[in-house]
Amino acid sequence: MKLTLRQLEIFAAIAKTDNVSRAAERLAMSQSAASNALVELEKAYDCPLFDRIGKSLRLNATGQGLLPLAESLLAQARDVEAYLSGGKLGPVSVGATMTIGNYLATLIIADYMHQHPEAPVALHVANTDAIVERLLRYECDLGLIEGEVSHPDLLIEPWMDDELVVFCAPGHELSSHGPVDNETLARQLWILRERGSGTRSHFDREVGRHLGNLNLRLELEHTEAIKRAVESGLGIACLSRLALREAFRRGSLIEIKTPQFSLGRRFYFARHRQRYESAAARCFRELCASATGGASSTAGLQLPFIP
């Protein structure tokens, strides 16, 4: 064969970073060695894989076609190494959206690391759009997402149901109110997740469009920041019931009844259609299902460890 796994590993790293120096740093090698390996690969097949734009590299059509093949082959090679090393799992990179990352994924990772102490695992927490982008760039093996996603390059598998809840502080005028109508909700000050998050997309689709010109006071990227802002009396908000369970139990936040809206949604597993699913990624995905006790909804989770 004219190529080596190392050349493919270097090619994939450069493709993900668009930069030879950053790729070399990621692989703990010199820039010149990484550059030479790429040049040798391209020369061996007389086939450029990147467009050179100044000091930057951009995958051309051939490189874009090679990347999923290289990623799959590298993932399989890691499984072979793990097998030859006594059945140890290789590394796995997981991307999780905010609600899942903050309230479920870290707990599942703790269980995974307990069962497989020598298996490297990385967790990236961001909104749905960012996790999808990481999956498409082959930077994550598995995505745990809460937003509706439809992309031809992604495989989406339902995990469990969830529900959004509108809520306020105990001293708010709506805290002791019955079901609240749309006109009343439209007059409130709202504190919401940023655009690009699964929570915000579902809110805009199921709630916001019924309230006219929404009085948006704050957009925040983190659920805990939104909860603190609502507790401080800055407005009302809408988040996953999973993120609010303990606050509702303590009485620091109060649910606002909105039966007129359809606030149910789903959590999903997401992975790249062309990326080989490594033994580690498959093991982690299966652990996610078993760690939640087979519950079909977050409302039925027995998770006393949620803060």
Side-chain angles (χ1 to χ4, degrees):
M1 296 180 67
K2 296 180 183 180
L3 58 79
T4 67
L5 286 173
R6 184 60 168 171
Q7 287 176 323
L8 290 179
E9 184 179 34
I10 293 167
F11 158 74
I14 295 173
K16 293 175 185 176
T17 61
D18 295 327
N19 184 278
V20 175
S21 297
R22 288 195 294 269
E25 183 178 356
R26 178 180 293 188
L27 297 174
M29 63 190 302
S30 69
Q31 178 180 342
S32 60
S35 181
N36 289 338
L38 175 61
V39 169
E40 289 173 3
L41 178 61
E42 291 179 318
K43 281 186 176 180
Y45 295 92
D46 191 23
C47 185
L49 301 171
F50 293 89
D51 293 324
R52 273 70 176 176
I53 305 173
K55 294 184 179 180
S56 298
L57 299 176
R58 294 288 187 273
L59 277 177
N60 60 23
T62 304
Q64 290 173 0
L66 175 61
L67 184 56
L69 298 174
E71 285 287 343
S72 293
L73 187 55
L74 290 168
Q76 292 178 69
R78 286 190 285 268
D79 277 355
V80 170
E81 282 190 324
Y83 172 77
L84 294 175
S85 300
K88 299 174 185 176
L89 291 175
V92 61
S93 176
V94 179
T97 47
M98 291 294 184
T99 300
I100 299 173
N102 290 330
Y103 300 97
L104 283 179
T106 52
L107 305 169
I108 295 170
I109 281 179
D111 194 11
Y112 180 84
M113 294 178 70
H114 178 74
Q115 294 184 29
H116 308 284
E118 297 182 3
V121 57
L123 174 65
H124 308 275
V125 180
N127 66 29
T128 297
D129 283 359
I131 297 303
V132 166
E133 183 62 26
R134 293 187 70 91
L135 288 168
L136 294 174
R137 289 179 59 86
Y138 304 96
E139 294 175 353
C140 282
D141 298 294
L142 177 68
L144 310 176
I145 62 176
E146 59 204 72
E148 296 288 339
V149 172
S150 178
H151 194 287
D153 292 336
L154 296 182
L155 289 171
I156 308 297
E157 177 185 349
W159 180 9
M160 62 171 48
D161 293 334
D162 185 44
E163 180 188 20
L164 296 185
V165 182
V166 179
F167 62 98
C168 63
H172 193 277
E173 62 176 340
L174 300 181
S175 62
S176 58
H177 204 286
V180 180
D181 60 41
N182 291 359
E183 183 179 352
T184 302
L185 290 172
R187 293 197 301 267
Q188 305 304 311
L189 296 174
W190 285 87
I191 304 167
L192 299 174
R193 285 288 308 278
E194 80 288 359
R195 294 188 184 278
S197 72
T199 296
R200 178 61 179 275
S201 295
H202 195 77
F203 174 88
D204 286 345
R205 184 169 59 251
E206 301 297 337
V207 180
R209 67 187 181 92
H210 297 291
L211 303 185
N213 294 322
L214 197 69
N215 195 347
L216 180 58
R217 188 169 197 179
L218 283 174
E219 284 185 313
L220 299 172
E221 294 184 357
H222 298 286
T223 56
E224 290 302 312
I226 291 175
K227 288 160 65 176
R228 298 293 86 80
V230 172
E231 287 175 349
S232 299
L234 296 180
I236 68 174
C238 183
L239 291 173
S240 166
R241 185 177 295 277
L242 179 65
L244 297 165
R245 285 171 51 160
E246 289 304 306
F248 286 167
R249 183 186 62 81
R250 293 192 305 266
S252 59
L253 293 171
I254 304 296
E255 178 177 355
I256 297 174
K257 300 297 184 181
T258 57
Q260 68 271 39
F261 301 132
S262 176
L263 294 180
R265 63 173 184 176
R266 269 187 171 174
F267 291 163
Y268 299 92
F269 298 118
R271 52 196 173 92
H272 201 290
R273 187 178 299 276
Q274 294 180 288
R275 184 166 187 161
Y276 169 78
E277 186 179 32
S278 68
R282 183 170 59 255
C283 180
F284 191 90
R285 180 169 55 83
E286 291 171 350
L287 181 60
C288 287
S290 63
T292 49
S296 60
S297 169
T298 56
L301 289 177
Q302 299 299 313
L303 297 175
F305 41 71
I306 293 179

